[in-house]
Each structure stands twice: as C-alpha cells, then as structure tokens.
Amino acid sequence: MIYLDNAATSWPKPEVVIEAVERALRAPASPGRSGHRPAHEASRTVHRARKGVARLLGVGDPERVAFAPNVTWAVNEALWGLGLGPGDRVLSGALEHNSTARPLRLLEARGVAWEAVPPGPDGLLDPEEFRRRLTPETRLVVLNHASNVTGALAPAKAVKDAVGGVPVLLDTAQTAGAVPLDDLGGWADLVCFTGHKGLLGPTGTGGLYVREGVPFRPLAVGGSGSRSESLEHPDFLPDALEAGTQNTHGLAGLAAACDFLLGTGVGRIRAHELELAEIFMEGALKAPGLAILGPGPGDPRRVATVSVVLEGVSSSDLARSLEEGYGIMTRAGLHCAPLTHQAAGSFPGGATRFSFGFFNTREEAETAGRALREIAGRPRRGGA
Ligand SMILES: Cc1ncc(COP(=O)(O)O)c(C=O)c1O
C-alpha cells in the first residue's frame, strides 16, 4: 500500500505514539481528578501534551491551550466565545473547510454577515483583499491556514497586519506539525488544531489556543476536577473549555507525538514533504490532460497536499484506478471544502487528492506520478 491520504489523517503513527496510547489505556487513572499516584501521572502526561502543542504552535503559555475532540469542535467553541450577533460581520478566505464554513453559515442564518474572500488566479489569498473589505462592523477574520484541497498556504500574518485589531482565527488542521509555526503566539488570536493529521497523534484529540484578552465561552459545562465546591463552571483556562473527563489515552499519544515532532524538527519534516510534492508534481504534470489545483512546482507557498483533475476521468474513477492498479490511497471528491472547489473551478466533480506525509518516500512520490501518466495514457471510455 502507498498511503497518500495524510491530509485526512496521518499514517503511520510513530511507534512511540502507539505505545503511549497503550500505556495510558492500561493505567488506572483519570487526570485532574483523584489524588493517587497514577492520577497525578496522567495529569502530568496531559500537561506534557499541552506544553508540546504550545511549542509546536509557538503560542507561549500552555495553560491557554484547551483540549477538545478535534478542530471542528474547537472552531465552533472559538466562534461561540466571541458572542457574534446581528450586525456583526466576519471575513474568511474562500478556502475554508466545512468545519469553519458550516458554523459561519449558521451564524449567517442568525444575522451575522459573512463574506468569503476569493483567492487570486494563482489560488492564493491576497491580504490586501481583506484590508479592502474591512468595515467597522468586521469582528473577526477566519483563515484556513493551508487548504486541504490545493495545499495553498494562507498569508496569515500579512492578513493580520492588514486587518489590524480585528481578531484572527486560524484553522491549523493542515499546518500544525507540518509547517514551523513558531511565531503564532505573537499575533494570532484564536488558533484551532487537530491532533491526528500533521501532529501525528490519535484521532479524538484537538483543541484551541485563546490569546490573552480574547473572550471565550464553553460549548459544554460540567465536571472539571477544579472548584468542585461550586455549581458554577470554572471561568479560567484551560478548565473552562475542558468539561468532562479528558481523552487521556489520546492525549498521551499526542504528548508522545509532540515529543517526536520536536525531536525530529518540523523544518525537516516540511522540507521532506515539500520535496515529495515537487517530485510528484513534476511527474504528474507530464500526464496528458492533467491539471494541478493551486500552486504548482517550484512554488513554496504550499503544503504537500496536491489535488489533480484528469480530463475525461472522474475524480472517484481516478482514485479507484490508483488503488486497484497501484495500491495508492488518495481521496476523491470535494474534501469537505465545496467553497475551495468552487474557487478552483473543480466544483461539483471535485478532484483526486494526493497528500504526502513524513513517512512517505521519494519512490512513492515517483510511483504516484508514473501511475497518473499511465492512467492518462489509456484510452478513455467514460472512466479511467
Ligand atoms: C483544513 C481543515 N479544517 C478542518 C478539518 C476538520 O478536522 P477534524 O475532523 O479533525 O475536526 C480538516 C480535516 O478534515 C481540514 O483539513
């Protein structure tokens, strides 16, 4: 099998992650609750995950990182915390995943104006377009830090500079662990992450960083292990946003994954993944009738997620041919990102997405390019 679906979830997980999950599952402990030794040990592990994520996001204070089941929950919670209502306005990129687009649509139904800023012909967002659309009612800018379809990186810091004091919410699902993010704490207001993609952790882990001074409000309240004498839910981070027992074994895996990433170096991971994307794109573009969505070869303003459209072949037929003929796992369709496909001109048919991870090899990238050339060279009879 050649697994090229790392944008959906990374695979394989480092062995240390699997071991950490298993160890935590065997331990008799609920973190932050009981006072016995294994419970303290579990609390320390959760704190290690918090510190690791804070370092990888470059946000400074780990106590301002609250865990959640995934980035989708985190985005919903971050938006809820801002208390947006009728008369308020939100700007986003048009490269959003449904995990932000659908909550924004819901807010729209409740009277919040939402404008999605389209990318330029190169598939990239222009910070000046955000500045131009700014009004006194603009309360928030939402950005997918890297498109899960085209791989295009958002010029996030430049957008923040362009919009001044307006808070920026970043969806780092495709950048955390894959792109060095050492400076987010200096300017990003709300940073949402998921643990199971570039962070190389288990599913069921994610969360958000809330910058000092940015309002937050829990989507759920309940047991927190702190202030147990009170019926009021804690109002301090991270407890305020972490009602209920933690995903202890998931977070143990995430802690191990963060150690792995910090030990390996995210810069090294990015360099390797970009090299694979380059090899793949160079090879794929030799296939007749093939187009790449978003930044092409030689453009570093991307992550290693590359979606292609092959003339005369549906995205799902292409994915099936890749799997059946070559054992290559990709993802076809709209990738939960209809707005992106609309902007890229690949709606409603979608595209076939190849997403490279740290454990992929040059040979695999070459094989994927060759497979596309061979499939493109076959006679078309309505399918691949
Ligand atoms: C850019 C982006 N945002 C959000 C998500 C949602 O992630 P999760 O399902 O972990 O919440 C994904 C992945 O599916 C994504 O690629």
Side-chain angles (χ1 to χ4, degrees):
M1 173 173 84
I2 299 179
Y3 184 78
L4 299 181
D5 198 14
N6 289 279
T9 197
S10 53
W11 186 89
K13 305 298 180 191
E15 205 51 40
V16 286
V17 172
I18 295 167
E19 285 164 13
V21 172
E22 186 181 342
R23 219 173 18 255
L25 272 174
R26 291 185 187 283
S30 177
R33 306 302 200 261
S34 315
H36 51 72
R37 195 183 48 77
H40 281 307
E41 183 61 33
S43 298
R44 273 195 293 276
T45 303
V46 169
H47 187 64
R48 197 156 56 80
R50 220 183 286 288
K51 265 179 31 191
V53 168
R55 270 189 69 189
L56 287 162
L57 297 180
V59 295
D61 185 1
E63 296 302 304
R64 300 200 70 82
V65 173
F67 287 120
N70 46 50
V71 71
T72 303
W73 178 278
V75 165
N76 277 270
E77 194 150 51
L79 290 171
W80 173 240
L82 294 173
L84 301 169
D88 293 333
R89 193 158 169 272
V90 178
L91 288 177
S92 78
L95 303 179
E96 298 307 310
H97 187 277
N98 277 343
S99 63
T100 51
R102 286 180 173 169
L104 288 173
R105 171 67 87 215
L106 197 64
L107 284 173
E108 209 176 31
R110 294 176 184 167
V112 175
W114 167 35
E115 190 176 352
V117 178
D122 54 2
L124 296 158
L125 294 170
D126 178 357
E128 285 312 308
E129 291 296 321
F130 286 81
R131 193 198 306 272
R132 227 166 46 73
R133 287 168 164 84
L134 213 56
T135 67
E137 293 75 33
T138 308
R139 294 270 319 278
L140 177 69
V141 171
V142 174
L143 281 180
N144 183 1
H145 204 193
S147 166
N148 58 304
V149 176
T150 66
L153 276 169
K157 173 68 167 63
V159 171
K160 176 66 183 177
D161 290 342
V163 302
V166 177
V168 169
L169 183 162
L170 271 191
D171 170 0
T172 66
Q174 298 294 339
T175 53
V179 177
L181 302 175
D182 326 306
D183 69 332
L184 292 191
W187 58 271
D189 301 280
L190 290 154
V191 181
C192 301
F193 63 94
T194 205
H196 66 103
K197 299 182 194 272
L199 286 177
L200 303 180
T203 50
T205 60
L208 68 159
Y209 159 78
V210 184
R211 187 173 151 98
E212 182 105 46
V214 175
F216 56 86
R217 191 160 39 146
L219 276 174
V221 296
S224 65
S226 55
R227 304 258 165 98
S228 292
E229 74 288 355
S230 172
L231 290 183
E232 302 298 326
H233 191 71
D235 60 359
F236 53 88
L237 288 170
D239 299 31
L241 303 183
E242 291 183 352
T245 300
Q246 299 274 42
N247 175 5
T248 317
H249 55 285
L251 294 176
L254 185 61
C258 290
D259 290 347
F260 176 89
L261 290 166
L262 290 164
T264 306
V266 177
R268 188 178 143 210
I269 290 171
R270 173 155 171 75
H272 176 66
E273 291 182 357
L274 273 186
E275 185 191 359
L276 300 187
E278 283 292 316
I279 292 171
F280 169 68
M281 287 190 286
E282 297 283 359
L285 279 173
K286 294 188 185 116
L290 184 130
I292 286 175
L293 307 183
D299 190 338
R301 293 171 296 176
R302 63 153 42 258
V303 293
T305 291
V306 184
S307 290
V308 307
V309 176
L310 184 58
E311 204 183 326
V313 182
S314 77
S315 64
S316 52
D317 281 345
L318 180 55
R320 198 172 317 112
S321 294
L322 288 161
E323 181 170 1
E324 287 172 0
Y326 303 88
I328 297 174
M329 311 295 161
T330 58
R331 180 170 169 196
L334 294 173
H335 314 97
C336 298
L339 295 178
T340 313
H341 280 284
Q342 278 160 11
S346 45
F347 186 86
T352 309
R353 183 181 74 182
F354 298 72
S355 47
F356 296 88
F358 184 56
F359 297 107
N360 287 123
T361 63
R362 293 187 187 93
E363 290 70 33
E364 289 175 333
E366 277 161 11
T367 302
R370 180 168 45 80
L372 281 177
R373 294 195 299 277
E374 288 177 4
I375 293 169
R378 290 176 197 160
R380 315 265 161 88
R381 277 193 298 274

